[in-house]
């Protein structure tokens, strides 16, 4: 277990998921520093926010800009893969998406890994924006 694994697993305990009961913890490394967050749901369901996006928000608020690695912890088997919206948000902060690894772990120690490029091939980067 890496420090990022431990951090994602620990923050998962703070998830606010009374509706789905699906608790998620995320740890992102940006510019060498680790940031954690959990999913936060809402009685108005679409306002719920995933752990990955909350972790990116915490990192950016602290001045982070360059994503280096992501670990997500759930209790699903096999370990779940990040939703499409989070893939796009992770891509935003990847200097090179082929070099950023996303690892999904669960409580019994199973793990799966992808690069952001594998999760979101040919993603929208804003390069086409005026
Ligand atoms: N969720 C995450 O936090 N991250 C994921 O990668 C998948 C889904 C959350 C959103 C919602 O609170 C709950 O899990 C069920 O979809």
């Amino acid at each position: 277990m890496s420090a990022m694994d431990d951090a994602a697993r620990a923050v998962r305990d703070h998830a606010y998921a009374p509706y789905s009961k699906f608790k998620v913890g995320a740890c992102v490394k940006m510019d060498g520093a680790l940031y954690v967050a959990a999913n936060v749901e809402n009685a108005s369901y679409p306002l719920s926010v995933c752990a990955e996006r909350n972790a990116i928000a915490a990192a950016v608020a602290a001045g982070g800009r360059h994503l280096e690695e992501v670990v997500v912890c759930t209790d699903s088997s096999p370990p779940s893969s990040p939703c499409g919206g989070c893939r796009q948000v992770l891509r935003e902060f990847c200097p090179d998406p082929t070099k950023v690894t996303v690892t999904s772990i669960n409580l019994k120690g199973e793990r799966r890994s992808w690069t952001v490029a594998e999760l979101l091939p040919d993603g929208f980067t804003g390069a086409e924006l005026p």
Side-chain angles (χ1 to χ4, degrees):
M1 291 272 276
S2 71
M4 290 187 70
D5 290 6
D6 290 343
R9 186 175 174 133
V11 73
R12 179 182 171 276
D13 288 337
H14 299 304
Y16 179 73
Y19 307 105
S20 72
K21 318 282 191 213
F22 190 72
K23 293 181 159 200
V24 186
C27 179
V28 300
K29 189 192 283 184
M30 271 216 201
D31 299 291
L34 303 185
Y35 304 91
V36 295
N39 53 331
V40 178
E41 298 187 346
N42 192 277
S44 178
Y45 299 165
L47 298 182
S48 301
V49 184
C50 293
E52 297 91 321
R53 265 178 282 169
N54 281 332
I56 289 286
V60 170
R65 286 294 181 275
H66 305 103
L67 183 63
E68 292 163 7
E69 192 177 346
V70 180
V71 175
V72 182
C73 181
T74 68
D75 195 22
S76 68
S77 182
S80 60
S81 79
C83 82
C86 286
R87 296 175 190 208
Q88 180 67 31
V89 171
L90 295 175
R91 174 67 186 87
E92 181 76 19
F93 297 99
C94 291
D96 180 350
T98 68
K99 295 200 163 54
V100 178
T101 302
V102 179
T103 300
S104 182
I105 64 174
N106 65 19
L107 301 184
K108 58 181 177 183
E110 295 174 321
R111 51 202 304 122
R112 300 164 74 193
S113 288
W114 312 262
T115 66
V116 169
E118 288 170 335
L119 290 173
L120 189 70
D122 203 18
F124 181 66
T125 65
E128 299 84 353
L129 296 174

